[in-house]
mmCIF file of all heavy atoms in Angstrom:
data_model
loop_
_atom_site.group_PDB
_atom_site.id
_atom_site.type_symbol
_atom_site.label_atom_id
_atom_site.label_comp_id
_atom_site.label_asym_id
_atom_site.label_seq_id
_atom_site.Cartn_x
_atom_site.Cartn_y
_atom_site.Cartn_z
ATOM 1 N N ASN A 158 32.753 5.730 20.227
ATOM 2 C CA ASN A 158 31.531 6.023 19.485
ATOM 3 C C ASN A 158 31.571 7.451 18.940
ATOM 4 O O ASN A 158 31.641 8.409 19.704
ATOM 5 C CB ASN A 158 30.334 5.836 20.433
ATOM 6 C CG ASN A 158 29.019 6.278 19.803
ATOM 7 O OD1 ASN A 158 28.881 6.279 18.579
ATOM 8 N ND2 ASN A 158 28.059 6.634 20.627
ATOM 9 N N PRO A 159 31.518 7.655 17.602
ATOM 10 C CA PRO A 159 31.522 9.014 17.049
ATOM 11 C C PRO A 159 30.165 9.682 17.118
ATOM 12 O O PRO A 159 30.038 10.843 16.782
ATOM 13 C CB PRO A 159 31.943 8.776 15.590
ATOM 14 C CG PRO A 159 31.407 7.416 15.273
ATOM 15 C CD PRO A 159 31.497 6.625 16.552
ATOM 16 N N GLY A 160 29.124 8.932 17.550
ATOM 17 C CA GLY A 160 27.767 9.461 17.573
ATOM 18 C C GLY A 160 26.936 8.922 16.419
ATOM 19 O O GLY A 160 27.430 8.799 15.297
ATOM 20 N N VAL A 161 25.684 8.564 16.707
ATOM 21 C CA VAL A 161 24.781 8.036 15.679
ATOM 22 C C VAL A 161 23.512 8.890 15.679
ATOM 23 O O VAL A 161 22.834 9.001 16.702
ATOM 24 C CB VAL A 161 24.435 6.557 15.941
ATOM 25 C CG1 VAL A 161 23.453 6.069 14.888
ATOM 26 C CG2 VAL A 161 25.686 5.701 15.927
ATOM 27 N N HIS A 162 23.212 9.517 14.557
ATOM 28 C CA HIS A 162 22.002 10.325 14.431
ATOM 29 C C HIS A 162 20.867 9.452 13.894
ATOM 30 O O HIS A 162 21.062 8.691 12.939
ATOM 31 C CB HIS A 162 22.245 11.498 13.470
ATOM 32 C CG HIS A 162 21.014 12.330 13.224
ATOM 33 N ND1 HIS A 162 20.163 12.099 12.171
ATOM 34 C CD2 HIS A 162 20.490 13.367 13.914
ATOM 35 C CE1 HIS A 162 19.167 12.966 12.214
ATOM 36 N NE2 HIS A 162 19.346 13.750 13.260
ATOM 37 N N TYR A 163 19.688 9.533 14.537
ATOM 38 C CA TYR A 163 18.549 8.753 14.071
ATOM 39 C C TYR A 163 17.345 9.679 13.906
ATOM 40 O O TYR A 163 17.201 10.677 14.630
ATOM 41 C CB TYR A 163 18.226 7.608 15.045
ATOM 42 C CG TYR A 163 17.946 8.058 16.468
ATOM 43 C CD1 TYR A 163 16.662 8.436 16.877
ATOM 44 C CD2 TYR A 163 18.964 8.084 17.409
ATOM 45 C CE1 TYR A 163 16.405 8.837 18.172
ATOM 46 C CE2 TYR A 163 18.720 8.482 18.716
ATOM 47 C CZ TYR A 163 17.431 8.861 19.096
ATOM 48 O OH TYR A 163 17.177 9.253 20.380
ATOM 49 N N GLU A 164 16.489 9.351 12.927
ATOM 50 C CA GLU A 164 15.293 10.147 12.669
ATOM 51 C C GLU A 164 14.277 9.283 11.938
ATOM 52 O O GLU A 164 14.641 8.509 11.050
ATOM 53 C CB GLU A 164 15.639 11.374 11.832
ATOM 54 C CG GLU A 164 14.442 12.276 11.548
ATOM 55 C CD GLU A 164 14.842 13.532 10.795
ATOM 56 O OE1 GLU A 164 15.701 14.255 11.311
ATOM 57 O OE2 GLU A 164 14.319 13.759 9.692
ATOM 58 N N TYR A 165 13.007 9.409 12.342
ATOM 59 C CA TYR A 165 11.926 8.731 11.625
ATOM 60 C C TYR A 165 10.625 9.500 11.885
ATOM 61 O O TYR A 165 10.567 10.357 12.783
ATOM 62 C CB TYR A 165 11.790 7.255 12.057
ATOM 63 C CG TYR A 165 11.618 7.053 13.548
ATOM 64 C CD1 TYR A 165 10.354 7.118 14.160
ATOM 65 C CD2 TYR A 165 12.714 6.758 14.348
ATOM 66 C CE1 TYR A 165 10.207 6.918 15.516
ATOM 67 C CE2 TYR A 165 12.579 6.557 15.700
ATOM 68 C CZ TYR A 165 11.313 6.632 16.297
ATOM 69 O OH TYR A 165 11.153 6.428 17.638
ATOM 70 N N VAL A 166 9.610 9.211 11.083
ATOM 71 C CA VAL A 166 8.332 9.916 11.158
ATOM 72 C C VAL A 166 7.249 8.931 11.575
ATOM 73 O O VAL A 166 7.184 7.813 11.048
ATOM 74 C CB VAL A 166 7.987 10.561 9.800
ATOM 75 C CG1 VAL A 166 6.592 11.173 9.835
ATOM 76 C CG2 VAL A 166 9.029 11.613 9.431
ATOM 77 N N ILE A 167 6.408 9.347 12.531
ATOM 78 C CA ILE A 167 5.268 8.548 12.986
ATOM 79 C C ILE A 167 3.999 9.342 12.706
ATOM 80 O O ILE A 167 3.888 10.514 13.106
ATOM 81 C CB ILE A 167 5.373 8.228 14.491
ATOM 82 C CG1 ILE A 167 6.577 7.321 14.753
ATOM 83 C CG2 ILE A 167 4.098 7.555 14.987
ATOM 84 C CD1 ILE A 167 6.435 5.948 14.151
ATOM 85 N N MET A 168 3.035 8.712 11.999
ATOM 86 C CA MET A 168 1.763 9.389 11.754
ATOM 87 C C MET A 168 0.981 9.482 13.058
ATOM 88 O O MET A 168 0.834 8.495 13.786
ATOM 89 C CB MET A 168 0.943 8.614 10.714
ATOM 90 C CG MET A 168 1.637 8.477 9.359
ATOM 91 S SD MET A 168 1.969 10.044 8.559
ATOM 92 C CE MET A 168 0.297 10.551 8.185
ATOM 93 N N GLY A 169 0.458 10.701 13.371
ATOM 94 C CA GLY A 169 -0.263 10.897 14.618
ATOM 95 C C GLY A 169 -1.701 10.393 14.537
ATOM 96 O O GLY A 169 -2.223 10.058 13.471
ATOM 97 N N ASN A 170 -2.388 10.351 15.735
ATOM 98 C CA ASN A 170 -3.783 9.894 15.784
ATOM 99 C C ASN A 170 -4.709 10.834 15.020
ATOM 100 O O ASN A 170 -5.726 10.423 14.455
ATOM 101 C CB ASN A 170 -4.246 9.770 17.242
ATOM 102 C CG ASN A 170 -3.482 8.669 17.971
ATOM 103 O OD1 ASN A 170 -3.041 7.711 17.348
ATOM 104 N ND2 ASN A 170 -3.313 8.831 19.273
ATOM 105 N N ASN A 171 -4.341 12.127 15.025
ATOM 106 C CA ASN A 171 -5.181 13.108 14.336
ATOM 107 C C ASN A 171 -4.629 13.442 12.958
ATOM 108 O O ASN A 171 -4.936 14.474 12.386
ATOM 109 C CB ASN A 171 -5.279 14.394 15.168
ATOM 110 C CG ASN A 171 -3.904 14.988 15.409
ATOM 111 O OD1 ASN A 171 -2.904 14.309 15.246
ATOM 112 N ND2 ASN A 171 -3.865 16.253 15.804
ATOM 113 N N ALA A 172 -3.768 12.549 12.448
ATOM 114 C CA ALA A 172 -3.145 12.826 11.152
ATOM 115 C C ALA A 172 -4.169 12.740 10.042
ATOM 116 O O ALA A 172 -5.079 11.925 10.063
ATOM 117 C CB ALA A 172 -2.011 11.842 10.893
ATOM 118 N N ILE A 173 -4.013 13.625 9.060
ATOM 119 C CA ILE A 173 -4.870 13.592 7.876
ATOM 120 C C ILE A 173 -4.255 12.637 6.885
ATOM 121 O O ILE A 173 -3.089 12.752 6.530
ATOM 122 C CB ILE A 173 -4.991 15.003 7.269
ATOM 123 C CG1 ILE A 173 -5.564 15.974 8.300
ATOM 124 C CG2 ILE A 173 -5.834 14.985 6.013
ATOM 125 C CD1 ILE A 173 -5.590 17.400 7.833
ATOM 126 N N SER A 174 -4.986 11.666 6.473
ATOM 127 C CA SER A 174 -4.472 10.686 5.527
ATOM 128 C C SER A 174 -4.106 11.382 4.228
ATOM 129 O O SER A 174 -4.699 12.398 3.861
ATOM 130 C CB SER A 174 -5.522 9.600 5.249
ATOM 131 O OG SER A 174 -5.840 8.917 6.436
ATOM 132 N N PRO A 175 -3.109 10.871 3.515
ATOM 133 C CA PRO A 175 -2.701 11.517 2.258
ATOM 134 C C PRO A 175 -3.875 11.626 1.295
ATOM 135 O O PRO A 175 -4.610 10.673 1.082
ATOM 136 C CB PRO A 175 -1.621 10.567 1.729
ATOM 137 C CG PRO A 175 -1.136 9.814 2.934
ATOM 138 C CD PRO A 175 -2.315 9.702 3.846
ATOM 139 N N GLN A 176 -4.015 12.830 0.742
ATOM 140 C CA GLN A 176 -5.101 13.061 -0.208
ATOM 141 C C GLN A 176 -4.571 12.836 -1.616
ATOM 142 O O GLN A 176 -3.690 13.540 -2.072
ATOM 143 C CB GLN A 176 -5.629 14.486 -0.074
ATOM 144 C CG GLN A 176 -6.255 14.751 1.285
ATOM 145 C CD GLN A 176 -6.773 16.146 1.378
ATOM 146 O OE1 GLN A 176 -6.684 16.910 0.435
ATOM 147 N NE2 GLN A 176 -7.345 16.486 2.520
ATOM 148 N N VAL A 177 -5.113 11.846 -2.297
ATOM 149 C CA VAL A 177 -4.705 11.526 -3.659
ATOM 150 C C VAL A 177 -5.944 11.487 -4.521
ATOM 151 O O VAL A 177 -7.064 11.300 -4.025
ATOM 152 C CB VAL A 177 -3.973 10.161 -3.706
ATOM 153 C CG1 VAL A 177 -2.707 10.223 -2.885
ATOM 154 C CG2 VAL A 177 -4.872 9.044 -3.192
ATOM 155 N N PRO A 178 -5.831 11.662 -5.837
ATOM 156 C CA PRO A 178 -7.015 11.616 -6.711
ATOM 157 C C PRO A 178 -7.695 10.260 -6.619
ATOM 158 O O PRO A 178 -7.036 9.230 -6.478
ATOM 159 C CB PRO A 178 -6.424 11.858 -8.096
ATOM 160 C CG PRO A 178 -5.106 12.503 -7.855
ATOM 161 C CD PRO A 178 -4.625 11.973 -6.560
ATOM 162 N N PRO A 179 -9.057 10.222 -6.651
ATOM 163 C CA PRO A 179 -9.769 8.936 -6.579
ATOM 164 C C PRO A 179 -9.430 8.088 -7.786
ATOM 165 O O PRO A 179 -9.299 8.575 -8.900
ATOM 166 C CB PRO A 179 -11.241 9.334 -6.566
ATOM 167 C CG PRO A 179 -11.266 10.702 -7.192
ATOM 168 C CD PRO A 179 -10.003 11.360 -6.787
ATOM 169 N N LEU A 180 -9.288 6.779 -7.538
ATOM 170 C CA LEU A 180 -8.897 5.846 -8.585
ATOM 171 C C LEU A 180 -10.078 4.939 -8.911
ATOM 172 O O LEU A 180 -10.650 4.314 -8.032
ATOM 173 C CB LEU A 180 -7.690 5.020 -8.119
ATOM 174 C CG LEU A 180 -6.444 5.856 -7.777
ATOM 175 C CD1 LEU A 180 -5.365 4.951 -7.222
ATOM 176 C CD2 LEU A 180 -5.942 6.573 -9.010
ATOM 177 N N ARG A 181 -10.405 4.884 -10.195
ATOM 178 C CA ARG A 181 -11.516 4.024 -10.624
ATOM 179 C C ARG A 181 -11.183 3.462 -11.979
ATOM 180 O O ARG A 181 -10.454 4.044 -12.759
ATOM 181 C CB ARG A 181 -12.824 4.847 -10.733
ATOM 182 C CG ARG A 181 -13.320 5.399 -9.421
ATOM 183 C CD ARG A 181 -14.563 6.258 -9.646
ATOM 184 N NE ARG A 181 -14.231 7.528 -10.306
ATOM 185 C CZ ARG A 181 -14.487 7.806 -11.542
ATOM 186 N NH1 ARG A 181 -15.081 6.900 -12.313
ATOM 187 N NH2 ARG A 181 -14.189 8.977 -12.073
ATOM 188 N N ARG A 182 -11.740 2.318 -12.258
ATOM 189 C CA ARG A 182 -11.644 1.755 -13.603
ATOM 190 C C ARG A 182 -12.734 2.397 -14.468
ATOM 191 O O ARG A 182 -13.814 2.727 -13.999
ATOM 192 C CB ARG A 182 -11.846 0.237 -13.577
ATOM 193 C CG ARG A 182 -10.761 -0.521 -12.821
ATOM 194 C CD ARG A 182 -10.971 -2.021 -12.991
ATOM 195 N NE ARG A 182 -9.937 -2.767 -12.316
ATOM 196 C CZ ARG A 182 -10.030 -3.157 -11.058
ATOM 197 N NH1 ARG A 182 -11.111 -2.862 -10.372
ATOM 198 N NH2 ARG A 182 -9.060 -3.850 -10.507
#
Side-chain angles (χ1 to χ4, degrees):
N158 173 25
V161 178
H162 176 267
Y163 57 87
E164 181 176 303
Y165 55 86
V166 174
I167 294 294
M168 300 299 292
N170 294 332
N171 59 343
I173 301 174
S174 299
Q176 296 181 1
V177 297
L180 300 175
R181 295 177 288 106
R182 295 186 178 90

